[in-house]
Amino acid sequence: MLNIGLYLRHFPASGTPIVGGTATFVDGLAGGLHEIGAAVSVLCEGGERSSAIAPGGYRVDCFPAARRRFDIGPAFKHHIGRRMGAAQALMIVSGMFHPGAYAVGCAAAASGVPYVACPFDPYSTSVFRRNAHLKWPYWFLFERRLLAHAAAIQVMDRRHAEPLSRLGIRTPAIEVINGFPAHTVPPVVAPYRAAEPVRMLFLGRIDAYNKGLDILLNAFGLVAASHDVRLTIQGPDWGDRARLQRQAARLSLLDKVTFRDADYERTGPEIMGDHDLFCLTSRFEGFSQSAIEAMLAARMVLVSETAGIAPHVEAAGCGLAVKPDAASVANGMVALLNDRAHWKERGLNGRAYALSILPWKHVAADALRQYQALVASADVSGDRPPVSAGPPMALREHGIAEREEA
């Protein structure tokens, strides 16, 4: 039997509580794999060695963190080399531009254990534009090596393999989408409201650049000038809430925009049920757990076309995918507002789609088939040819001047 180890450095050692998108994904995938009978454990780092059984039934093994950033502790190396290396095994290494992920990939390769790199987000132009002076050196020194020597790169949307190809990465990509745990599904859908104003919601971390919340506010301001609408931005503050509040003030939107703290007492679908439209205008996005929750709540969804869930929203007919710019987002909002008579029908179609396609059990079964095929393949030794630095065109496409390559 294939032994699967899912590495996420900050995963909680006890297996609970789960907070944040990456930990939620790893928890869901591990739980789904366990449910279908796969041998799976989650590997993390912390203050001391511990083992626990998570509510999802899988094991969580925590190892003391190394003192150096680009290293892992002896106990962790021993676990990879002896326990993982002693049987048919595969490591799923989660992290993007993260020294811990690089160190685990190196340890797995040294022990002869094939690994899959799981960056979550796509390596898009927008990713490299933020902190470019740090990311490009890290890319050439470490990140591309981690990706080049992986058995595969796990993307949340097959479209996310395209920027990797432009960057000169030839490692094959596998698609493992996001899912949802069955216990979070509301048995009934919250009633639809016919009265104004229309309530829009962003639910997630308040990270203005990644989530495009500055774009969302600008677009909402354009729509609010002619429509009776309200917007709630809710989630943990990643340092941008005050700046976004100042932006709302400049746009004269303080009476129409509400900022709320994260609410971990209620499920996402329950929060969605208090609103009419869910908005996700990310500059880059892996998939979006919140968008799944909006579909489960049978709410209309407006998502950035960069998000991995965008093709699913369009296939389900429960919303629109738009470019992450203010004009496109505003036009999408207006189009949905004008289609209010069909919200219930389209929302229920989205819920039915999510219930049939996105349960973690189904997602995990597809992932396991791909993992087994990787390990069965002869091309998992890590002996891939060195990845090229990529032509100057790759740098220009990502908005970086050639002189910044050094």
Side-chain angles (χ1 to χ4, degrees), residues 89-126:
L90 183 69
M91 291 280 292
I92 314 299
V93 181
S94 301
M96 187 182 202
F97 297 111
H98 195 291
Y102 179 80
V104 171
C106 289
S111 299
V113 178
Y115 70 89
V116 173
C118 178
F120 293 110
D121 286 322
Y123 290 89
S124 65
T125 301
S126 296

Side-chain angles (χ1 to χ4, degrees), residues 196-200 219-220 222-230 276-277 279 300 302 320 329-343 346:
E196 302 288 351
V198 172
R199 299 176 183 174
M200 301 181 182
F220 179 78
L222 296 174
V223 175
S226 56
H227 294 76
D228 191 5
V229 289
R230 301 291 185 273
D276 303 306
L277 300 177
C279 302
M300 296 297 290
L302 180 74
L320 294 174
V329 172
N331 289 337
M333 288 178 174
V334 171
L336 291 179
L337 290 171
N338 291 339
D339 194 42
R340 189 168 189 173
H342 299 103
W343 284 0
R346 296 180 66 184

Side-chain angles (χ1 to χ4, degrees), residues 55-76:
Y58 57 87
R59 178 177 293 278
V60 180
D61 284 313
C62 184
F63 302 91
R67 294 182 178 179
R68 294 183 299 178
R69 294 189 67 198
F70 287 88
D71 199 6
I72 59 175
F76 199 176

Side-chain angles (χ1 to χ4, degrees), residues 5 11 33 81 84 88 123 130 193 199 260 329 339 373 388:
F11 197 86
L33 289 167
M84 299 293 294
Q88 191 179 49
Y123 290 89
R130 189 178 198 184
R193 299 180 322 106
R199 299 176 183 174
R260 290 180 178 167
V329 172
D339 194 42
S388 67

